[in-house]
Amino acid sequence: MILVNEVESSSIISPTTTPRADFVINPYIGCSHGCIYCYARFMKRFTGHQEKWGKFVDVKVNGAQLVPHPRPKFKGSSILLSSVTDPYLQLEKKYELTRRIIQELLPLKGCLMILTKSDLVLRDLDILEKMKKVEIGFSFSTLNENLRKETEPHAKTIEERLKALIQVKESGFKNFLFISPILPYLTPWKDIIDTTRDYVDYYMFENLNVNGTVWPSVLKWLKKFHPHLVEEYRSIYYGESSYWIEEKQAIKDYCKKEKLVSEFYFHHKKTK
């Protein structure tokens, strides 16, 4: 069960240090996907929620009214939907909050970058085609549906995302595939690329980040489903392993050889 609260927010758009975006909009607080690796769980400390991450969502019901236009500093800027939630949660079917926000963004004539795990974004292509520039990306870290169920129990299936990725491309939008997070020894990044390269404009790669409160969740998952990898992961994150340096270089070399446009967001800092 997901606890859903309707809340009034004081603002909806914020500056961001996220690469390729000037501002970010998060229509929801929290997420219902239940991803065991989610870095955004740090948001809990700002919400007052006692529920586990993945068990609550706050809906910013006045979000569309808070879109600033036509303010000069936002006009022509790059905006990301979203950084610490999915703009197309299942709740979006009911609230249509993201859809209404997109409608309000039209006068800004900027670039909108959407990152989601849901094919629900297809519903809004009719509005998105009116924007000056749009990039739509889907994130996943496996082609294996069993592994998807282990790590993202309430997210859309891989098949649904792949079909949506194709439809976005065929509808004339620029798209990207965010292979994230790369799970050590489990994410077949080369297979994902080879499966999708005919209908993807560019790729983004991010490795699994277990900083903060993520490691206990990942460790619990490993012990239950992949106990043989527990010590391997400990070595990668708490030992002297060069795993991520080598993996990043392997991906770079492959993308260069295959002439693929790629971007990397790897975390090499040792976990303490």
Side-chain angles (χ1 to χ4, degrees):
M1 293 293 292
I2 303 293
L3 177 66
V4 179
N5 293 316
E6 296 182 356
V7 300
E8 295 276 334
S9 183
S10 58
S11 64
I12 196 64
I13 186 169
S14 306
T16 180
T17 57
T18 303
R20 307 182 85 255
D22 303 309
F23 299 95
V24 63
I25 291 178
N26 290 291
Y28 301 94
I29 301 171
C31 185
S32 55
H33 291 335
C35 303
I36 59 98
Y37 53 72
C38 185
Y39 70 89
R41 62 186 64 221
F42 75 86
M43 289 293 295
K44 261 195 70 173
R45 65 175 178 261
F46 303 117
T47 67
H49 280 281
Q50 299 303 310
E51 300 80 19
K52 291 182 179 180
W53 182 256
K55 295 296 184 181
F56 71 89
V57 175
D58 291 345
V59 183
K60 300 177 183 179
V61 290
N62 64 328
Q65 293 95 296
L66 296 173
V67 174
H69 58 85
R71 293 265 294 281
K73 80 171 186 175
F74 297 113
K75 205 168 183 67
S77 59
S78 177
I79 298 173
L80 171 65
L81 270 170
S82 302
S83 61
V84 292
T85 190
D86 192 317
Y88 288 99
L89 299 176
Q90 282 294 100
L91 286 167
E92 173 64 18
K93 285 185 178 181
K94 173 183 177 182
Y95 286 96
E96 296 192 351
L97 177 55
T98 295
R99 182 175 176 85
R100 288 185 284 117
I101 286 173
I102 293 172
Q103 288 176 316
E104 294 299 323
L105 286 172
L106 290 177
L108 296 181
K109 301 182 186 294
C111 171
L112 182 63
M113 187 176 185
I114 295 174
L115 180 59
T116 182
K117 283 183 167 72
S118 175
D119 59 352
L120 184 56
V121 66
L122 299 176
R123 178 201 65 186
D124 293 342
L125 295 186
D126 61 325
I127 305 176
L128 291 169
E129 67 181 9
K130 300 175 184 177
M131 299 204 75
K132 182 178 180 180
K133 184 178 179 182
V134 179
E135 296 183 7
I136 302 173
F138 295 86
S139 64
F140 50 85
S141 55
T142 183
L143 296 174
N144 184 298
E145 189 59 18
N146 288 329
L147 182 57
R148 196 279 306 167
K149 290 177 181 177
E150 292 173 16
T151 57
E152 308 166 355
H154 306 299
K156 288 299 186 77
T157 68
I158 299 302
E159 182 179 4
E160 287 171 316
R161 282 179 247 181
L162 287 174
K163 287 181 177 178
L165 193 65
I166 294 171
Q167 189 168 335
V168 164
K169 180 66 175 177
E170 291 179 342
S171 297
F173 293 91
K174 187 173 184 177
N175 69 4
F176 63 94
L177 182 55
F178 194 22
I179 300 180
S180 170
I182 297 172
L183 304 168
Y185 305 108
L186 293 172
T187 295
W189 53 264
K190 188 179 293 185
D191 290 343
I192 294 174
I193 291 173
D194 291 344
T195 299
T196 61
R197 60 186 301 167
D198 289 340
Y199 48 86
V200 170
D201 288 305
Y202 68 94
Y203 291 88
M204 299 168 70
F205 301 90
E206 182 182 37
N207 61 340
L208 175 66
N209 182 354
V210 300
N211 285 324
T213 61
V214 178
W215 173 245
S217 177
V218 169
L219 182 59
K220 181 179 178 181
W221 159 66
L222 286 172
K223 287 180 175 180
K224 182 176 181 180
F225 294 103
H226 307 278
H228 63 291
L229 291 178
V230 169
E231 292 310 313
E232 297 285 357
Y233 275 57
R234 287 189 193 278
S235 174
I236 291 170
Y237 291 102
Y238 297 93
E240 299 301 319
S241 173
S242 60
Y243 180 88
W244 285 128
I245 295 174
E246 295 170 5
E247 192 77 345
K248 182 178 181 181
Q249 190 60 51
I251 300 172
K252 277 189 170 183
D253 290 345
Y254 186 75
C255 289
K256 182 178 180 180
K257 179 173 73 76
E258 298 299 320
K259 296 181 173 56
L260 301 172
V261 179
S262 58
E263 299 178 9
F264 294 83
Y265 304 99
F266 270 46
H267 314 275
H268 288 308
K269 186 178 179 181
K270 286 291 181 183
T271 303
K272 297 181 180 180

